[in-house]
Each structure stands twice: as structure tokens, then as C-alpha cells.
């Protein structure tokens, strides 16, 4: 996606963001993804022992299945991190444009799915109740 407005790229926010080197964010994105996965793994025991039991008792199988999908998507994302790093660590080459777009869109889907499912399940059960 390109937002080119002649004469305004230095003034508007989008123009300034486009000037940032994308490869400089690769390590930070990977560290944050892994950190989030680790923190999710730490609280996973609480989910299995408290929240999942309640979801099963209330016959909320779709909500439980959405969380199961979330687990699988995050695991797939962890496996894709080396490919993400490989495609994004160097400046853009024309041959890698589609691969970058696909892997970035996949990570965006995984992160948003995980965020939304986590919040929906939290609203169903309630945190700490």
C-alpha cells in the first residue's frame, strides 16, 4: 500500500512512517511475538483448570474450539518466525515482494485472531472469577 501525495510526504504522518526502514523492526517483532507466546504459555495452566471447564459445562463448544484454533495458529506462527526473519532482514528485493506480503498478512491474522479470541473468552468467563 502506498500513499503518495506530491509535496505532502514530509508533512503528513503516513509519509514519515513510510520513510522508516522496515528491516530495523524485524528483531523487535520477533522478540515481542515470542515474549507474548511465552506469557500465554505461563497463564495457559490457569485457563485449562478454570476457564475451559466452565466453557465445557456451559456447552460453549464454539468458544472452546476458537481457543483451540488460537493455540494452533500461534504455534504455526512460532514455526514461521525464521522465514519472517529471513525475508525481512534485508532490504526489499522485487522477487520477495509477494512472500513478504503473504507472511506479514499471515502474522497479522494470527495476532488479531489471538487478540480477539482471548478477549472474547475473557468476557465470557471473566478474569480472576
Amino acid at each position: 500500500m502506498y500513499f503518495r501525495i506530491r509535496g505532502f510526504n514530509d508533512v503528513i504522518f503516513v509519509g514519515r512512517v513510510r520513510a522508516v526502514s522496515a528491516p530495523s523492526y524485524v528483531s523487535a517483532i520477533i522478540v515481542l511475538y515470542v515474549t507474548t507466546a511465552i506469557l500465554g504459555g505461563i497463564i495457559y495452566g490457569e485457563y485449562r483448570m478454570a476457564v475451559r471447564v466452565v466453557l465445557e459445562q456451559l456447552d460453549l463448544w464454539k468458544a472452546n474450539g476458537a481457543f483451540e484454533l488460537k493455540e494452533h495458529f500461534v504455534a504455526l506462527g512460532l514455526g514461521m518466525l525464521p522465514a519472517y526473519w529471513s525475508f525481512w532482514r534485508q532490504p526489499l528485493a522485487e522477487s520477495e515482494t509477494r512472500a513478504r506480503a503473504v507472511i506479514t498478512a499471515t502474522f497479522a491474522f494470527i495476532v488479531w485472531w489471538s487478540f480477539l479470541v482471548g478477549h472474547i473468552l475473557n468476557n465470557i468467563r471473566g478474569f480472576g472469577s
Side-chain angles (χ1 to χ4, degrees):
M1 241 192 293
Y2 293 104
F3 298 99
R4 291 189 181 175
I5 302 172
R6 293 182 187 202
F8 290 104
N9 277 345
D10 296 334
V11 179
I12 61 173
F13 176 74
V14 175
R16 290 192 308 263
V17 170
R18 285 189 58 233
V20 175
S21 172
S24 63
Y25 288 103
V26 173
S27 297
I29 290 169
I30 291 172
V31 166
L32 290 172
Y33 189 90
V34 170
T35 303
T36 304
I38 290 171
L39 291 174
I42 291 171
I43 64 171
Y44 182 73
E46 175 68 24
Y47 168 78
R48 276 290 195 205
M49 300 305 288
V51 179
R52 185 171 184 210
V53 173
V54 172
L55 292 177
E56 289 175 354
Q57 289 172 346
L58 296 174
D59 290 330
L60 296 173
W61 301 109
K62 289 181 183 178
N64 202 15
F67 189 85
E68 296 291 330
L69 278 175
K70 173 185 169 178
E71 294 172 348
H72 289 72
F73 288 156
V74 170
L76 287 171
L78 286 171
M80 289 172 41
L81 284 176
Y84 181 81
W85 178 80
S86 175
F87 282 114
W88 278 98
R89 66 182 164 92
Q90 64 241 353
L92 180 62
E94 289 298 321
S95 62
E96 297 175 349
T97 304
R98 181 178 288 286
R100 278 186 173 191
V102 169
I103 200 164
T104 302
T106 304
F107 271 111
F109 171 78
I110 290 170
V111 169
W112 276 104
W113 177 269
S114 300
F115 172 75
L116 292 173
V117 168
H119 280 280
I120 289 169
L121 288 179
N122 184 49
N123 291 340
I124 289 173
R125 171 67 173 134
F127 183 75
S129 51

